[in-house]
């Protein structure tokens, strides 16, 4: 259903509260009966939201919580136990907004609430730049309070979201260097919530799990074990495909595992080229619905991937995952590409982070290129033994020695 929003957000109080010293935002969370959480980001961002949502649910057990997400994330978000309703939008900078959901009746109920101004609280828990208009959706709800992070949290946000603070009732100014999960948990405490659980729980739909089981039975067979590889990432985050293919082929030989290639429908042509580079049989999971793809990752013996959504899903489901980051070990911890900010959240023993040791000139604090650059210092001879050593802890039947 389509909803017309005002041409410009409505100005509000714009109170800025520093996070230092335990800054407290003026929210009576216990009194809130309807809460809107707007998170218009990508797959990994949604996964890293789950500790926040779990603790929000525990802190406001009597509230009805609605989450608004991007349509590309909906199939993963709709199973979340911590919210009562999930609706989806495509990002639009101006004009009407179309909402999608489980069915027409569910969307109609949401639109009635949204246009009726029934929400006590609208939250925008994004610490860095709001690229997709989350503030616009939250402000347009007419909620009694609209609360978020300040435009001053990061230098980039200060530029990209300049002037946005005045459209919130209050914002948290948090300039600290921390993981994304910690930023959100700090935000929850600032609105009066209590953090009792820092773990991450990703819920999957039963039908998606069943579809993944059928995929394994029909497409892989054998004992059901397989190595998942997610070779696709944006810009500087991705290894050159031939390197990833070489590493994957060596690992598959060493551990005697079939390979399943994970990716979204837009990766169809890239996946075909990648499979050809493997020089060994591989099963393509390209084009599976997101929920089914996530359940398939949960079935994997292990996943090897880049700094992208599949790695976050694997960690959230307890699948051993080796993640190749472009950010160098000697780089700045607060850089936008740093694993200190964006590493998968889960059991550290089941997560391996692999990085180049130093930047590649002219980069200094982190990789600044728009295409693979610093990450290209990692070749198959470097990566294979490191990843194989990690995977060997989870594949007892590994062949002795390291693949070459």
């Amino acid at each position: 259903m389509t909803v017309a929003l005002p041409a410009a957000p409505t100005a509000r109080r714009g109170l800025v509260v520093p996070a230092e010293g335990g800054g407290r935002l003026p929210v009576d969370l216990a009194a809130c009966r309807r809460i809107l959480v707007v998170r218009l980001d990508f797959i990994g961002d949604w996964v890293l939201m789950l500790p926040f949502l779990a603790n929000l649910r525990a802190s406001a057990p009597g509230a009805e919580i609605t989450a608004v997400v991007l349509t590309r994330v909906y199939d993963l978000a709709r199973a979340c136990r911590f919210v009562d309703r999930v609706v989806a939008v495509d990002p639009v900078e101006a004009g009407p907004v179309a909402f999608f959901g489980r069915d027409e009746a569910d969307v109609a109920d949401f639109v009635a609430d949204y246009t009726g101004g029934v929400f006590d609280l609208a939250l925008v828990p994004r610490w860095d730049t709001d690229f997709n208009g989350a503030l616009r959706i939250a402000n347009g709800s007419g909620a009694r309070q609209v609360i978020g992070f300040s435009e001053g949290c990061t230098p980039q946000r200060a530029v990209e979201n300049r002037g946005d603070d005045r459209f919130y009732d209050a914002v948290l100014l948090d300039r600290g260097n921390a993981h994304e999960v910690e930023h959100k948990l700090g935000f929850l405490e600032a609105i009066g919530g209590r953090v009792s659980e820092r773990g991450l729980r990703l819920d999957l739909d039963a039908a998606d799990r069943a579809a993944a089981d059928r995929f394994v039975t029909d497409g892989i067979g054998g004992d059901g074990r397989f190595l998942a590889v997610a070779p696709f990432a944006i810009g500087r985050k991705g290894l050159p495909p031939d390197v990833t293919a070489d590493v994957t082929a060596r690992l598959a030989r060493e551990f005697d595992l079939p390979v399943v290639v994970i990716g979204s429908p837009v990766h169809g042509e890239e996946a075909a080229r990648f499979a050809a580079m493997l020089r060994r049989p591989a099963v393509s999971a390209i084009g599976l619905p997101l929920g089914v793809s996530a359940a398939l990752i949960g079935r994997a013996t292990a996943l090897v991937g880049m700094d992208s959504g599949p790695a976050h899903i694997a960690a959230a489901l307890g699948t051993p995952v080796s993640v190749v980051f472009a950010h160098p070990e000697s780089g700045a911890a607060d850089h936008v590409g740093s694993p200190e900010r964006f590493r998968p959240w889960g059991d550290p023993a089941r997560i391996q982070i692999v990085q180049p040791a130093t930047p590649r000139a002219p980069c200094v604090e982190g990789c600044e290129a728009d295409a693979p650059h610093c990450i290209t210092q990692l070749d198959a001879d470097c990566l294979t033994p490191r990843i194989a050593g990690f995977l060997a802890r989870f594949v007892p039947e590994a062949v002795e020695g390291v693949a070459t």
Side-chain angles (χ1 to χ4, degrees):
M1 295 182 67
T2 301
V3 175
L5 293 183
T10 302
R12 290 175 175 253
R13 183 182 177 190
L15 174 67
V16 179
V17 176
E20 291 81 5
R24 181 76 161 76
L25 294 162
V27 175
D28 184 358
L29 193 59
C32 294
R33 291 295 172 262
R34 297 205 177 183
I35 300 173
L36 182 69
V37 179
V38 185
R39 184 68 200 207
L40 304 188
D41 298 292
F42 306 129
I43 295 169
D45 301 295
W46 170 258
V47 174
L48 295 180
M49 267 285 290
L50 296 175
F52 169 85
L53 291 173
N55 287 283
L56 176 64
R57 172 82 285 163
S59 299
E64 179 185 79
I65 302 175
T66 297
V68 180
V69 302
L70 289 180
T71 51
R72 67 174 69 184
V73 179
Y74 177 78
D75 276 351
L76 193 63
R78 60 186 165 83
C80 180
R81 73 183 67 187
F82 307 123
V83 299
D84 300 287
R85 177 172 56 188
V86 179
V87 294
V89 296
D90 289 321
V92 289
E93 295 182 0
V97 174
F99 291 101
F100 308 89
R102 183 181 59 197
D103 52 43
E104 290 185 7
D106 190 52
V107 176
D109 287 344
F110 166 75
V111 169
D113 290 345
Y114 185 83
T115 57
V118 305
F119 291 105
D120 301 301
L121 179 64
L123 300 173
V124 184
R126 178 168 175 82
W127 179 71
D128 212 335
T129 306
D130 174 12
F131 288 112
N132 292 317
L135 168 60
R136 182 170 182 251
I137 299 295
N139 186 282
S141 71
R144 291 179 180 84
Q145 286 186 296
V146 179
I147 306 292
F149 281 102
S150 170
E151 65 197 64
C153 287
T154 71
Q156 183 177 12
R157 182 164 189 169
V159 174
E160 299 288 343
N161 296 148
R162 183 179 181 183
D164 279 3
D165 283 1
R166 69 184 185 275
F167 301 120
Y168 290 93
D169 289 277
V171 290
L172 185 68
L173 178 58
D174 174 7
R175 292 198 176 107
N177 178 35
H179 191 278
E180 290 295 301
V181 169
E182 297 294 352
H183 282 303
K184 293 171 186 62
L185 294 181
F187 178 73
L188 179 72
E189 291 176 323
I191 63 173
R194 184 169 61 89
V195 175
S196 58
E197 174 60 59
R198 283 185 141 74
L200 194 159
R201 181 185 303 162
L202 177 61
D203 295 317
L204 298 176
D205 185 88
D208 291 337
R209 288 186 181 275
D213 290 343
R214 290 193 298 272
F215 183 94
V216 172
T217 300
D218 298 340
I220 301 172
D223 60 7
R225 299 184 312 137
F226 63 92
L227 176 66
V229 57
F232 311 113
I234 297 173
R236 60 177 173 263
K237 294 183 177 182
L239 275 170
D242 60 326
V243 175
T244 310
D246 193 359
V247 172
T248 302
R250 296 189 196 192
L251 294 172
R253 284 196 301 270
E254 176 168 350
F255 295 106
D256 192 24
L257 290 173
V259 175
V260 174
V261 183
I262 304 289
S264 73
V266 301
H267 296 130
E269 292 184 3
E270 293 175 89
R273 292 193 293 270
F274 178 79
M277 293 177 192
L278 283 172
R279 301 187 304 278
R280 62 182 292 118
V283 178
S284 174
I286 303 299
L288 289 179
L290 177 56
V292 179
S293 184
L296 186 63
I297 291 171
R299 284 285 312 265
T301 303
L303 182 138
V304 175
M306 308 299 130
D307 173 19
S308 61
H312 290 282
I313 291 172
L317 294 174
T319 298
V321 56
S322 180
V323 193
V324 183
F325 269 78
H327 188 73
E329 293 175 356
S330 64
D334 60 351
H335 188 272
V336 68
S338 172
E340 295 298 315
R341 283 186 58 186
F342 289 110
R343 67 183 296 137
W345 193 262
D347 180 357
R350 303 178 77 82
I351 301 169
Q352 181 190 42
I353 303 298
V354 183
Q355 302 168 256
T358 58
R360 179 182 171 190
C363 297
V364 178
E365 294 190 342
C367 193
E368 306 296 344
D370 295 325
H373 180 247
C374 293
I375 202 170
T376 61
Q377 299 174 96
L378 300 172
D379 60 20
D381 290 337
C382 162
L383 288 169
T384 304
R386 294 172 66 179
I387 298 175
F390 168 74
L391 296 185
R393 307 206 312 259
F394 307 100
V395 189
E397 299 83 359
V399 176
E400 292 186 4
V402 176
T404 58

